[in-house]
Amino acid sequence: MWGAVATGRLGAMTTHRAPKPMDHPSRPVERAVTIGLILAVLAGLGWIAGMIYTLAAWPL
């Protein structure tokens, strides 16, 4: 069985951690991603408003 190999021993565990990202919001990649997400949200809200307007003005 795979799980019953060394019941009383633990293997060596690494303590390496990835470096923390910089806290500067002026990085160009983050700024571009943030602007893209904001534009996507605005486009989605505009599309939803257009659909509501289309359904409200639809001649029955």
Side-chain angles (χ1 to χ4, degrees):
M1 297 186 85
W2 293 99
V5 175
T7 56
R9 295 175 35 194
L10 293 176
M13 297 179 66
T14 60
T15 59
H16 172 74
R17 293 185 181 178
K20 293 185 178 180
M22 296 171 49
D23 291 335
H24 300 291
S26 61
R27 292 195 291 188
V29 174
E30 289 183 5
R31 185 180 303 155
V33 169
T34 303
I35 290 172
L37 288 173
I38 290 172
L39 289 175
V41 168
L42 290 176
L45 291 175
W47 181 81
I48 291 172
M51 290 296 108
I52 292 173
Y53 175 77
T54 300
L55 292 175
W58 195 275
L60 296 176

